[in-house]
Amino acid sequence: MPSDGRARALSRELIDVHNWLRDELRRVTDELDHYPGTHPTDLRAHCLAFCTALTDHHTSEDDTAFPLWHNAFQSSHRS
């Protein structure tokens, strides 16, 4: 079972990554709102980068964080 410190670090990392992704989405939206002359290729590049980061993020959660939390949760209910 992970230590409380490890669980807190994982939680903090998830919060930080979600906040970063939200900030990036806001930034791209603001850029499009303030620069209506933005070329579609610029938007496509931003969207592809965002989708890649989001996919990597969710894959990482699926492979590492969620199994760890599941095991910790199961262990805590057996006690």
Side-chain angles (χ1 to χ4, degrees), residues 13-54:
E13 181 67 18
L14 280 174
I15 291 167
D16 290 346
V17 169
H18 280 101
N19 287 339
W20 177 80
L21 288 169
R22 286 184 192 106
D23 289 345
E24 285 298 295
L25 186 56
R26 274 189 219 101
R27 183 184 64 78
V28 170
T29 301
D30 288 346
E31 284 183 12
L32 291 173
D33 288 345
H34 292 97
Y35 300 100
T38 302
H39 299 288
T41 53
D42 295 339
L43 175 59
R44 184 176 187 278
H46 283 296
C47 288
L48 289 173
F50 182 82
C51 288
T52 298
L54 191 60

Side-chain angles (χ1 to χ4, degrees), residues 40-71:
T41 53
D42 295 339
L43 175 59
R44 184 176 187 278
H46 283 296
C47 288
L48 289 173
F50 182 82
C51 288
T52 298
L54 191 60
T55 297
D56 291 348
H57 162 74
H58 286 142
T59 299
S60 176
E61 284 179 339
D62 291 343
D63 293 344
T64 58
F66 294 144
L68 189 63
W69 285 338
H70 173 76
N71 291 337

